[in-house]
Amino acid sequence: AEDKGRKLLWQVDVGGGGSPVALTDSGASDDVAVSSDGDSLVFTRARMNSPAVLFRLGLGDRQLGELHDPNKAVLAELALPQPESVTVTGAGGTPVQMWILKPAGFDASKKNPLVFWVHGGPQGAWMDSWSYRWNPELWAAQGWVIAMPNPRGSTGFGQKFTDEISRDWGGKVYDDLMATLSWCEAQPWIDTNRMAAAGASY
């Protein structure tokens, strides 16, 4: 299930007691399978700077181990920056999460161009995950700072947050987007004369 721009594995008591417990803490986990002996999970996990890697998680010892990274040799030759997560105050004082990806060799003393991404759906989210369609690393490699806000309507921030775009198209979601853009404009390393917007669907 999604949680604040990540897709984690969770343990849930089938008896209905207690709260879900996260078994992973980063990236986007998928393709989960249980080992034949029932002792472990095998799954893929991708990050914004890494295509899917195969992992094993012991259900008893909770030890996480990498099984196979098919792109390790290729990735070792690339400078793929880590995304940064920031939180901005949106409409009505509600916190809004946003990913920032800076280009390799980023220099904070210089003014850098910005591309501001608005995700589609709008019930979706920019995740700390590799994408073959919208790949922020590829965009950042061209020298741009990429901003990926998760405004009202985004998933993984609670049902209320997702629902608050319904019957409010262009309302709180627009205010959230403008608040996150204003945060970007306030950073000394953003060139406000070189900003663009990109997005799809909504």
Side-chain angles (χ1 to χ4, degrees):
E2 295 177 19
D3 180 61
K4 300 177 178 66
R6 306 166 300 165
K7 187 178 181 184
L8 308 181
L9 294 181
W10 301 82
Q11 176 180 307
V12 180
D13 183 349
V14 295
S19 299
V21 176
L23 300 177
T24 55
D25 61 4
S26 61
S29 301
D30 221 328
D31 308 308
V32 186
V34 181
S35 62
S36 58
D37 58 13
D39 287 343
S40 60
L41 299 176
V42 176
F43 63 97
T44 60
R45 183 173 68 184
R47 303 290 304 272
M48 203 175 291
N49 61 349
S50 171
V53 176
L54 193 63
F55 282 90
R56 175 196 175 275
L57 176 69
L59 293 176
D61 57 17
R62 299 293 170 86
Q63 292 297 308
L64 181 66
E66 181 181 308
L67 291 177
H68 180 57
D69 181 354
N71 298 291
K72 184 171 286 187
V74 174
L75 294 177
E77 300 175 2
L78 303 175
L80 297 181
Q82 290 271 12
E84 302 169 26
S85 180
V86 299
T87 301
V88 177
T89 301
T94 300
V96 176
Q97 186 268 343
M98 175 170 60
W99 295 108
I100 298 291
L101 190 67
K102 299 169 181 173
F106 172 80
D107 186 346
S109 69
K110 296 180 178 178
K111 295 287 188 180
N112 298 270
L114 173 78
V115 181
F116 186 80
W117 285 14
V118 181
H119 70 66
Q123 288 83 3
W126 294 123
M127 306 288 288
D128 180 13
S129 178
W130 188 263
S131 173
Y132 297 94
R133 181 183 181 196
W134 288 87
N135 191 297
E137 291 283 353
L138 186 60
W139 289 51
Q142 299 174 69
W144 302 322
V145 172
I146 308 300
M148 295 162 277
N150 282 315
R152 229 60 67 98
S154 299
T155 52
F157 299 88
Q159 192 61 49
K160 180 177 184 289
F161 191 88
T162 304
D163 290 344
E164 283 187 327
I165 195 172
S166 299
R167 300 182 182 273
D168 190 34
W169 303 98
K172 288 183 287 294
V173 60
Y174 179 80
D175 293 338
D176 289 349
L177 290 169
M178 292 300 99
T180 53
L181 180 60
S182 293
W183 182 94
C184 294
E185 291 175 321
Q187 306 311 304
W189 32 267
I190 291 296
D191 185 348
T192 57
N193 293 313
R194 290 189 297 161
M195 299 194 304
S201 181
Y202 171 77

PDB file of all heavy atoms in Angstrom, residues 127-150:
ATOM      1  N   MET A 127       5.714   8.811  -7.076  1.00  0.00           N
ATOM      2  CA  MET A 127       6.276   7.871  -6.105  1.00  0.00           C
ATOM      3  C   MET A 127       7.797   7.845  -6.204  1.00  0.00           C
ATOM      4  O   MET A 127       8.377   8.189  -7.247  1.00  0.00           O
ATOM      5  CB  MET A 127       5.743   6.463  -6.391  1.00  0.00           C
ATOM      6  CG  MET A 127       4.237   6.346  -6.465  1.00  0.00           C
ATOM      7  SD  MET A 127       3.449   6.505  -4.885  1.00  0.00           S
ATOM      8  CE  MET A 127       3.910   4.941  -4.173  1.00  0.00           C
ATOM      9  N   ASP A 128       8.432   7.408  -5.121  1.00  0.00           N
ATOM     10  CA  ASP A 128       9.866   7.114  -5.164  1.00  0.00           C
ATOM     11  C   ASP A 128      10.005   5.782  -5.874  1.00  0.00           C
ATOM     12  O   ASP A 128      10.198   4.734  -5.265  1.00  0.00           O
ATOM     13  CB  ASP A 128      10.458   7.055  -3.758  1.00  0.00           C
ATOM     14  CG  ASP A 128      11.955   6.760  -3.780  1.00  0.00           C
ATOM     15  OD1 ASP A 128      12.575   6.841  -4.863  1.00  0.00           O
ATOM     16  OD2 ASP A 128      12.508   6.442  -2.709  1.00  0.00           O
ATOM     17  N   SER A 129       9.843   5.831  -7.192  1.00  0.00           N
ATOM     18  CA  SER A 129       9.812   4.624  -8.005  1.00  0.00           C
ATOM     19  C   SER A 129      10.354   4.921  -9.390  1.00  0.00           C
ATOM     20  O   SER A 129      10.261   6.055  -9.868  1.00  0.00           O
ATOM     21  CB  SER A 129       8.378   4.102  -8.120  1.00  0.00           C
ATOM     22  OG  SER A 129       8.311   2.953  -8.936  1.00  0.00           O
ATOM     23  N   TRP A 130      10.905   3.921 -10.027  1.00  0.00           N
ATOM     24  CA  TRP A 130      11.398   4.055 -11.399  1.00  0.00           C
ATOM     25  C   TRP A 130      10.210   4.085 -12.347  1.00  0.00           C
ATOM     26  O   TRP A 130       9.228   3.369 -12.151  1.00  0.00           O
ATOM     27  CB  TRP A 130      12.304   2.875 -11.742  1.00  0.00           C
ATOM     28  CG  TRP A 130      13.002   3.013 -13.046  1.00  0.00           C
ATOM     29  CD1 TRP A 130      12.626   2.476 -14.238  1.00  0.00           C
ATOM     30  CD2 TRP A 130      14.216   3.728 -13.289  1.00  0.00           C
ATOM     31  NE1 TRP A 130      13.526   2.804 -15.217  1.00  0.00           N
ATOM     32  CE2 TRP A 130      14.517   3.581 -14.663  1.00  0.00           C
ATOM     33  CE3 TRP A 130      15.072   4.483 -12.496  1.00  0.00           C
ATOM     34  CZ2 TRP A 130      15.635   4.158 -15.250  1.00  0.00           C
ATOM     35  CZ3 TRP A 130      16.191   5.048 -13.068  1.00  0.00           C
ATOM     36  CH2 TRP A 130      16.464   4.887 -14.439  1.00  0.00           C
ATOM     37  N   SER A 131      10.299   4.916 -13.366  1.00  0.00           N
ATOM     38  CA  SER A 131       9.230   4.975 -14.355  1.00  0.00           C
ATOM     39  C   SER A 131       9.808   4.903 -15.753  1.00  0.00           C
ATOM     40  O   SER A 131      10.802   5.559 -16.050  1.00  0.00           O
ATOM     41  CB  SER A 131       8.431   6.274 -14.197  1.00  0.00           C
ATOM     42  OG  SER A 131       7.502   6.406 -15.257  1.00  0.00           O
ATOM     43  N   TYR A 132       9.163   4.100 -16.589  1.00  0.00           N
ATOM     44  CA  TYR A 132       9.567   4.021 -17.992  1.00  0.00           C
ATOM     45  C   TYR A 132       8.788   5.009 -18.847  1.00  0.00           C
ATOM     46  O   TYR A 132       9.074   5.167 -20.024  1.00  0.00           O
ATOM     47  CB  TYR A 132       9.361   2.599 -18.518  1.00  0.00           C
ATOM     48  CG  TYR A 132      10.225   1.597 -17.794  1.00  0.00           C
ATOM     49  CD1 TYR A 132       9.736   0.893 -16.698  1.00  0.00           C
ATOM     50  CD2 TYR A 132      11.543   1.384 -18.185  1.00  0.00           C
ATOM     51  CE1 TYR A 132      10.543  -0.013 -16.019  1.00  0.00           C
ATOM     52  CE2 TYR A 132      12.344   0.486 -17.508  1.00  0.00           C
ATOM     53  CZ  TYR A 132      11.841  -0.207 -16.428  1.00  0.00           C
ATOM     54  OH  TYR A 132      12.633  -1.089 -15.750  1.00  0.00           O
ATOM     55  N   ARG A 133       7.791   5.671 -18.237  1.00  0.00           N
ATOM     56  CA  ARG A 133       6.995   6.645 -18.968  1.00  0.00           C
ATOM     57  C   ARG A 133       7.402   8.068 -18.597  1.00  0.00           C
ATOM     58  O   ARG A 133       7.724   8.876 -19.449  1.00  0.00           O
ATOM     59  CB  ARG A 133       5.511   6.419 -18.671  1.00  0.00           C
ATOM     60  CG  ARG A 133       4.615   7.379 -19.431  1.00  0.00           C
ATOM     61  CD  ARG A 133       3.156   7.180 -19.053  1.00  0.00           C
ATOM     62  NE  ARG A 133       2.305   8.097 -19.815  1.00  0.00           N
ATOM     63  CZ  ARG A 133       1.059   8.368 -19.505  1.00  0.00           C
ATOM     64  NH1 ARG A 133       0.504   7.790 -18.449  1.00  0.00           N
ATOM     65  NH2 ARG A 133       0.351   9.215 -20.229  1.00  0.00           N
ATOM     66  N   TRP A 134       7.339   8.386 -17.313  1.00  0.00           N
ATOM     67  CA  TRP A 134       7.765   9.693 -16.806  1.00  0.00           C
ATOM     68  C   TRP A 134       8.995   9.446 -15.943  1.00  0.00           C
ATOM     69  O   TRP A 134       8.872   9.114 -14.762  1.00  0.00           O
ATOM     70  CB  TRP A 134       6.645  10.331 -15.983  1.00  0.00           C
ATOM     71  CG  TRP A 134       5.504  10.818 -16.801  1.00  0.00           C
ATOM     72  CD1 TRP A 134       4.415  10.107 -17.202  1.00  0.00           C
ATOM     73  CD2 TRP A 134       5.342  12.129 -17.341  1.00  0.00           C
ATOM     74  NE1 TRP A 134       3.578  10.892 -17.953  1.00  0.00           N
ATOM     75  CE2 TRP A 134       4.121  12.147 -18.051  1.00  0.00           C
ATOM     76  CE3 TRP A 134       6.107  13.296 -17.288  1.00  0.00           C
ATOM     77  CZ2 TRP A 134       3.647  13.277 -18.705  1.00  0.00           C
ATOM     78  CZ3 TRP A 134       5.632  14.422 -17.925  1.00  0.00           C
ATOM     79  CH2 TRP A 134       4.419  14.414 -18.632  1.00  0.00           C
ATOM     80  N   ASN A 135      10.167   9.572 -16.518  1.00  0.00           N
ATOM     81  CA  ASN A 135      11.392   9.263 -15.787  1.00  0.00           C
ATOM     82  C   ASN A 135      12.100  10.554 -15.382  1.00  0.00           C
ATOM     83  O   ASN A 135      12.755  11.200 -16.207  1.00  0.00           O
ATOM     84  CB  ASN A 135      12.317   8.383 -16.631  1.00  0.00           C
ATOM     85  CG  ASN A 135      13.459   7.844 -15.810  1.00  0.00           C
ATOM     86  OD1 ASN A 135      14.274   8.604 -15.308  1.00  0.00           O
ATOM     87  ND2 ASN A 135      13.516   6.541 -15.651  1.00  0.00           N
ATOM     88  N   PRO A 136      11.972  10.959 -14.112  1.00  0.00           N
ATOM     89  CA  PRO A 136      12.579  12.227 -13.691  1.00  0.00           C
ATOM     90  C   PRO A 136      14.097  12.232 -13.773  1.00  0.00           C
ATOM     91  O   PRO A 136      14.700  13.291 -13.972  1.00  0.00           O
ATOM     92  CB  PRO A 136      12.088  12.387 -12.252  1.00  0.00           C
ATOM     93  CG  PRO A 136      11.739  11.002 -11.808  1.00  0.00           C
ATOM     94  CD  PRO A 136      11.258  10.293 -13.030  1.00  0.00           C
ATOM     95  N   GLU A 137      14.720  11.066 -13.619  1.00  0.00           N
ATOM     96  CA  GLU A 137      16.187  11.016 -13.720  1.00  0.00           C
ATOM     97  C   GLU A 137      16.650  11.427 -15.120  1.00  0.00           C
ATOM     98  O   GLU A 137      17.643  12.135 -15.275  1.00  0.00           O
ATOM     99  CB  GLU A 137      16.702   9.614 -13.382  1.00  0.00           C
ATOM    100  CG  GLU A 137      16.540   9.216 -11.936  1.00  0.00           C
ATOM    101  CD  GLU A 137      17.563   9.841 -11.000  1.00  0.00           C
ATOM    102  OE1 GLU A 137      18.508  10.506 -11.492  1.00  0.00           O
ATOM    103  OE2 GLU A 137      17.421   9.668  -9.775  1.00  0.00           O
ATOM    104  N   LEU A 138      15.927  10.989 -16.139  1.00  0.00           N
ATOM    105  CA  LEU A 138      16.278  11.331 -17.512  1.00  0.00           C
ATOM    106  C   LEU A 138      16.117  12.827 -17.743  1.00  0.00           C
ATOM    107  O   LEU A 138      16.933  13.461 -18.417  1.00  0.00           O
ATOM    108  CB  LEU A 138      15.412  10.527 -18.484  1.00  0.00           C
ATOM    109  CG  LEU A 138      15.747  10.651 -19.971  1.00  0.00           C
ATOM    110  CD1 LEU A 138      17.163  10.202 -20.253  1.00  0.00           C
ATOM    111  CD2 LEU A 138      14.759   9.848 -20.802  1.00  0.00           C
ATOM    112  N   TRP A 139      15.054  13.406 -17.171  1.00  0.00           N
ATOM    113  CA  TRP A 139      14.837  14.851 -17.305  1.00  0.00           C
ATOM    114  C   TRP A 139      15.915  15.624 -16.541  1.00  0.00           C
ATOM    115  O   TRP A 139      16.481  16.594 -17.049  1.00  0.00           O
ATOM    116  CB  TRP A 139      13.458  15.228 -16.792  1.00  0.00           C
ATOM    117  CG  TRP A 139      12.316  14.775 -17.661  1.00  0.00           C
ATOM    118  CD1 TRP A 139      12.098  13.508 -18.137  1.00  0.00           C
ATOM    119  CD2 TRP A 139      11.247  15.579 -18.149  1.00  0.00           C
ATOM    120  NE1 TRP A 139      10.939  13.482 -18.885  1.00  0.00           N
ATOM    121  CE2 TRP A 139      10.394  14.737 -18.911  1.00  0.00           C
ATOM    122  CE3 TRP A 139      10.910  16.910 -18.001  1.00  0.00           C
ATOM    123  CZ2 TRP A 139       9.242  15.198 -19.526  1.00  0.00           C
ATOM    124  CZ3 TRP A 139       9.744  17.379 -18.610  1.00  0.00           C
ATOM    125  CH2 TRP A 139       8.935  16.524 -19.369  1.00  0.00           C
ATOM    126  N   ALA A 140      16.209  15.195 -15.313  1.00  0.00           N
ATOM    127  CA  ALA A 140      17.210  15.893 -14.504  1.00  0.00           C
ATOM    128  C   ALA A 140      18.589  15.817 -15.150  1.00  0.00           C
ATOM    129  O   ALA A 140      19.407  16.737 -15.007  1.00  0.00           O
ATOM    130  CB  ALA A 140      17.252  15.305 -13.094  1.00  0.00           C
ATOM    131  N   ALA A 141      18.854  14.735 -15.877  1.00  0.00           N
ATOM    132  CA  ALA A 141      20.153  14.579 -16.542  1.00  0.00           C
ATOM    133  C   ALA A 141      20.400  15.663 -17.588  1.00  0.00           C
ATOM    134  O   ALA A 141      21.531  15.888 -18.005  1.00  0.00           O
ATOM    135  CB  ALA A 141      20.241  13.194 -17.186  1.00  0.00           C
ATOM    136  N   GLN A 142      19.330  16.351 -17.989  1.00  0.00           N
ATOM    137  CA  GLN A 142      19.471  17.438 -18.967  1.00  0.00           C
ATOM    138  C   GLN A 142      19.732  18.784 -18.295  1.00  0.00           C
ATOM    139  O   GLN A 142      19.764  19.820 -18.963  1.00  0.00           O
ATOM    140  CB  GLN A 142      18.204  17.499 -19.834  1.00  0.00           C
ATOM    141  CG  GLN A 142      17.972  16.194 -20.607  1.00  0.00           C
ATOM    142  CD  GLN A 142      16.652  16.188 -21.338  1.00  0.00           C
ATOM    143  OE1 GLN A 142      16.476  16.925 -22.302  1.00  0.00           O
ATOM    144  NE2 GLN A 142      15.728  15.360 -20.891  1.00  0.00           N
ATOM    145  N   GLY A 143      19.888  18.752 -16.955  1.00  0.00           N
ATOM    146  CA  GLY A 143      20.267  19.959 -16.242  1.00  0.00           C
ATOM    147  C   GLY A 143      19.145  20.664 -15.511  1.00  0.00           C
ATOM    148  O   GLY A 143      19.353  21.748 -14.961  1.00  0.00           O
ATOM    149  N   TRP A 144      17.957  20.057 -15.482  1.00  0.00           N
ATOM    150  CA  TRP A 144      16.821  20.694 -14.834  1.00  0.00           C
ATOM    151  C   TRP A 144      16.630  20.155 -13.424  1.00  0.00           C
ATOM    152  O   TRP A 144      16.878  18.980 -13.152  1.00  0.00           O
ATOM    153  CB  TRP A 144      15.525  20.424 -15.619  1.00  0.00           C
ATOM    154  CG  TRP A 144      15.562  20.894 -17.040  1.00  0.00           C
ATOM    155  CD1 TRP A 144      16.142  22.031 -17.520  1.00  0.00           C
ATOM    156  CD2 TRP A 144      15.002  20.233 -18.174  1.00  0.00           C
ATOM    157  NE1 TRP A 144      15.967  22.134 -18.873  1.00  0.00           N
ATOM    158  CE2 TRP A 144      15.268  21.032 -19.310  1.00  0.00           C
ATOM    159  CE3 TRP A 144      14.296  19.055 -18.343  1.00  0.00           C
ATOM    160  CZ2 TRP A 144      14.851  20.695 -20.583  1.00  0.00           C
ATOM    161  CZ3 TRP A 144      13.889  18.709 -19.619  1.00  0.00           C
ATOM    162  CH2 TRP A 144      14.153  19.519 -20.722  1.00  0.00           C
ATOM    163  N   VAL A 145      16.140  21.009 -12.543  1.00  0.00           N
ATOM    164  CA  VAL A 145      15.595  20.550 -11.273  1.00  0.00           C
ATOM    165  C   VAL A 145      14.151  20.126 -11.552  1.00  0.00           C
ATOM    166  O   VAL A 145      13.415  20.845 -12.222  1.00  0.00           O
ATOM    167  CB  VAL A 145      15.624  21.669 -10.207  1.00  0.00           C
ATOM    168  CG1 VAL A 145      14.877  21.230  -8.943  1.00  0.00           C
ATOM    169  CG2 VAL A 145      17.060  22.052  -9.873  1.00  0.00           C
ATOM    170  N   ILE A 146      13.768  18.954 -11.058  1.00  0.00           N
ATOM    171  CA  ILE A 146      12.419  18.451 -11.276  1.00  0.00           C
ATOM    172  C   ILE A 146      11.661  18.506  -9.954  1.00  0.00           C
ATOM    173  O   ILE A 146      12.133  17.995  -8.931  1.00  0.00           O
ATOM    174  CB  ILE A 146      12.439  16.994 -11.795  1.00  0.00           C
ATOM    175  CG1 ILE A 146      13.369  16.857 -13.013  1.00  0.00           C
ATOM    176  CG2 ILE A 146      11.018  16.527 -12.132  1.00  0.00           C
ATOM    177  CD1 ILE A 146      12.998  17.717 -14.188  1.00  0.00           C
ATOM    178  N   ALA A 147      10.485  19.153  -9.961  1.00  0.00           N
ATOM    179  CA  ALA A 147       9.621  19.218  -8.787  1.00  0.00           C
ATOM    180  C   ALA A 147       8.385  18.367  -9.045  1.00  0.00           C
ATOM    181  O   ALA A 147       7.737  18.526 -10.082  1.00  0.00           O
ATOM    182  CB  ALA A 147       9.220  20.659  -8.494  1.00  0.00           C
ATOM    183  N   MET A 148       8.074  17.462  -8.122  1.00  0.00           N
ATOM    184  CA  MET A 148       6.959  16.527  -8.287  1.00  0.00           C
ATOM    185  C   MET A 148       6.055  16.594  -7.052  1.00  0.00           C
ATOM    186  O   MET A 148       6.202  15.799  -6.126  1.00  0.00           O
ATOM    187  CB  MET A 148       7.495  15.104  -8.488  1.00  0.00           C
ATOM    188  CG  MET A 148       8.287  14.924  -9.769  1.00  0.00           C
ATOM    189  SD  MET A 148       9.334  13.445  -9.743  1.00  0.00           S
ATOM    190  CE  MET A 148      10.750  14.106  -8.852  1.00  0.00           C
ATOM    191  N   PRO A 149       5.115  17.534  -7.017  1.00  0.00           N
ATOM    192  CA  PRO A 149       4.236  17.669  -5.859  1.00  0.00           C
ATOM    193  C   PRO A 149       3.118  16.625  -5.852  1.00  0.00           C
ATOM    194  O   PRO A 149       2.668  16.171  -6.901  1.00  0.00           O
ATOM    195  CB  PRO A 149       3.673  19.080  -6.023  1.00  0.00           C
ATOM    196  CG  PRO A 149       3.674  19.309  -7.509  1.00  0.00           C
ATOM    197  CD  PRO A 149       4.881  18.578  -8.042  1.00  0.00           C
ATOM    198  N   ASN A 150       2.688  16.271  -4.645  1.00  0.00           N
ATOM    199  CA  ASN A 150       1.538  15.384  -4.462  1.00  0.00           C
ATOM    200  C   ASN A 150       0.425  16.172  -3.765  1.00  0.00           C
ATOM    201  O   ASN A 150       0.233  16.085  -2.551  1.00  0.00           O
ATOM    202  CB  ASN A 150       1.940  14.150  -3.645  1.00  0.00           C
ATOM    203  CG  ASN A 150       2.690  13.132  -4.487  1.00  0.00           C
ATOM    204  OD1 ASN A 150       2.292  12.828  -5.608  1.00  0.00           O
ATOM    205  ND2 ASN A 150       3.779  12.611  -3.962  1.00  0.00           N
TER     206      ASN A 150
END
